[in-house]
Amino acid sequence: MDLVPALQEPLKKVLGPATAKVMAEHLGLHTVGDLLHHYPRRYEERGQLTHLADLPMDEHVTVVAQVADARLHSFASSKAPRGKGQRLEVTITDGSGRLQLVFFGNGVHKPHKELLPGTRAMFAGKVSVFNRRLQLAHPAYELLRGDTEGEETVESWAGALIPLYPATAKLESWKLAKAIQTVLPSAQEAVDPLPDSLREGRGLVSLPEALLKIHRPHTKADIEDARARLKWDEAFVLQVALARRRHAETQLPAVPRRPRPDGLLTAFDDRLPFTLTDGQQRVSREIFDDLATDHPMHRLLQGEVGSGKTLVALRAMLAVVDSGGQAVMLAPTEVLAQQHHRSVVEMMGELAEGGMLGGAEHATKVVLLTGSMGVAARRHALLDLATGEAGIVIGTHALIEDTVQFHDLGLVVVDEQHRFGVEQRDALRGKGKQPPHLLVMTATPIPRTVAMTVFGDLETSVLDQLPAGRSPIASHVVPAADKPHFLARAWERVREEVSKGHQAYVVCPRIGDEDDDPRKDAGKAPKKKAAQDGPPEGDADKRPPLAVLDVAEGLAKGPLQGLGVEVLHGRMQPDDKDAVMRRFAAGETDVLVATTVIEVGVNVPNATAMVIMDADRFGVSQLHQLRGRVGRGSAPGLCLLVSEMPEASAARQRLNAVASTRDGFELSRIDLEQRREGDVLGQAQSGARTSLRVLAVIEDEEIIAEARQEAAAVVAADPELTGLPGLRTALEALLDEEREQYLEKG
């Protein structure tokens, strides 16, 4: 991370071209500094000294014993068909019991010469059973010559911590350890990125000492010291990069946008049939304060499913229109763009009929722009944008195309950030005469530390209250394989909800048309399954995931016969999708069988039940999102998670977690703890050199929060970091080109 000239030495000069090539290709290590920052994944202890009489199974042990006898056997095998295979069996004893050691192949020569009867040695390895007898296969050993070697040697050898490195088939951990041993003296040259005051104030060891201790620890305390220090490096350098980015943003010009005292926003608030929650009022104030400044707002609005984020965003858009600007909302899918457009127009009523007969005095135009619109409608929409006639525009990334011109773009609202590329956000931002204000909305709750790390350049607002009138949602796991009658009961529950005048969703992981039918591809390499964030488990995984088209047909002919069943999926024509959604919203369809296209933003208050088929194929956050589509009205919601996974599987535990809590922030923590840490930071962490090595985003919450404060203070005092050359160097290494661009585009 802090590659300075002394550590910039290419590995091929130090280790030779062959080893250096493998390290570069397989591990992304190019310089001495890269190698020093390739930390051990874990440490193996040779195990405490154990008596042979009480050896534990499957554990690493270290024993001191005497060789009783050694026999070399020859045998035939596929590799040595002529009986040339060799196996060395050595029996050892320590007076309390006996144990067999076994060595194979080329590994027999050295022990055959050294482990003679009567020899005393220390042996370390993993205890296994063969032919009902305990044995150690290929143990490491150290000969104890004569009686001069006392107990001290035995204890220190047994207690040694052996670093195990992230390795590859081409380069084993012990070879990496040897290479690191070669370059370890260079650690003394490492220039410290942490300011002295910070390091001393927190009692952290210096960087050279941390590098020595992480690679060559004498005690577990050494490892703790080193990790504590190196975690600070990662957290602090990343937070400094983000703090500099925030600082740079405050230097950009933007047009302050303040609502008129009795303008569009006031007229809108007056016609709302309910009062805003305290949370909505608080977050709105934060946003309006940002919009009133003369540098661009950069805010992340996270809210629980159904907490009323869209309303908060709409009020911000109206404030900008009030001040003479235009606001645009970007949605990830056409279904969602149409849904937003419909709900915004409904909420605004005659305020959305600018320039039309019957439009209110302060009204503006609300325009929809998507890729599949007809030529005439599109031309009309583009004209409204260019002239400023349309104050609010809602659309998909079709909005980013070159032909789209705005009259005066003041605010960009991006819905569901994780679906939107950085480049797309950047392209849209470039459409303003000056940088527009930016509001990013996400309904996937993000733990505070992840927000600080991934969206660290955005200020964060959290909506964690549900509006009055929202109903509770009961969630249950339906174990379809163990208890088929539970599934039959699930369909009965759907019928009961429909008989009360309500509607239901059934969600499936796959569409089931020609293009995604796995049977067609029999014999080809298996495709990766979508939306699965757990390992494949059990037999349920051997069949293809359930598909919308098959399930809908089966339900209409079977358990839901006589009800109005329709399908919705991403491969339908946009007009067909819209027609299906309209019929469902109007209450004309009883049951909608869909893929995850309904995951975000679809709002049908009369829908009270949801059955998620093959629920184990979806991620925790995704299940939480889907569940948020029911219970949006006054009647309580019901979500049934159907799975064929066995009770004890990790997938079932994941589903039990979703069923047991409605707290999206708690679920997002569970989700992250179950996924690999590296996935968390996504694109922000691309590039082998820059991914987090010792920092765990969830566990190290305090370090990240403190590092953010320290970083903000350092950058405020010295934005160019002129007094901290070590930190500047560390930043350059962190912000290689790819990363620099990522942060630039924000």
Side-chain angles (χ1 to χ4, degrees), residues 256-277:
R257 307 282 179 176
R258 295 184 186 86
R260 289 205 304 279
D262 54 353
L264 184 55
L265 179 61
T266 310
F268 175 76
D269 284 349
D270 288 346
R271 54 167 289 147
L272 278 179
F274 49 82
T275 51
L276 300 176
T277 64

Side-chain angles (χ1 to χ4, degrees), residues 46-57:
R46 286 209 169 98
Q48 302 315 305
L49 289 175
T50 314
H51 288 299
L52 294 186
D54 36 48
L55 286 176
M57 268 298 297

Side-chain angles (χ1 to χ4, degrees), residues 496-715:
E496 286 165 19
E497 287 301 308
V498 172
S499 69
K500 292 180 200 163
H502 298 307
Q503 294 160 278
Y505 297 102
V506 177
V507 182
C508 304
R510 203 165 57 84
I511 298 172
D513 56 8
E514 286 290 296
D515 290 350
D516 81 341
D517 184 352
R519 284 165 305 208
K520 259 194 349 178
D521 296 325
K524 293 185 192 172
K527 286 185 189 168
K528 277 191 180 164
K529 286 191 297 298
Q532 168 131 347
D533 64 356
E537 300 163 83
D539 294 336
D541 226 62
K542 290 178 183 156
R543 63 160 173 74
L546 291 171
V548 167
L549 301 178
D550 305 339
V551 168
E553 189 182 348
L555 290 175
K557 289 179 178 167
L560 302 185
Q561 195 170 5
L563 301 186
V565 177
E566 288 213 58
V567 299
L568 180 72
H569 59 75
R571 262 197 224 116
M572 290 165 64
Q573 289 301 318
D575 290 350
D576 296 343
K577 276 192 272 199
D578 200 35
V580 168
M581 266 325 292
R582 276 178 193 280
R583 285 196 291 276
F584 190 65
E588 295 164 21
T589 306
D590 299 319
V591 179
L592 186 63
V593 183
T595 55
T596 53
V597 290
I598 61 155
E599 181 184 345
V600 282
V602 171
N603 184 21
V604 180
N606 191 45
T608 53
M610 175 176 284
V611 181
I612 303 179
M613 306 304 291
D614 278 348
D616 47 88
R617 311 240 179 189
F618 299 97
V620 170
S621 297
Q622 207 173 18
L623 291 169
H624 182 58
Q625 285 286 341
L626 287 164
R627 168 171 64 185
R629 300 304 111 212
V630 295
R632 299 177 79 87
S634 54
L638 172 69
C639 178
L640 301 174
L641 306 166
V642 180
S643 171
E644 293 185 6
M645 286 298 169
E647 183 73 55
S649 64
R652 272 287 283 283
Q653 286 164 4
R654 216 163 49 229
L655 297 181
N656 292 340
V658 175
S660 66
T661 178
R662 284 287 321 279
D663 181 344
F665 287 91
E666 179 52 33
L667 286 173
S668 67
R669 287 183 78 94
I670 293 169
D671 199 11
L672 283 176
E673 280 160 10
Q674 291 187 342
R675 294 198 322 221
R676 287 206 333 279
E677 184 72 51
D679 299 343
V680 173
L681 300 187
Q683 189 178 357
Q685 281 297 117
S686 59
R689 278 226 310 273
T690 58
S691 58
L692 296 187
R693 296 179 175 83
V694 283
L695 194 69
V697 176
I698 289 288
E699 286 162 34
D700 299 320
E701 200 156 346
E702 280 175 32
I703 294 179
I704 292 169
E706 289 170 20
R708 182 180 166 102
Q709 280 181 331
E710 294 271 11
V714 165
V715 171

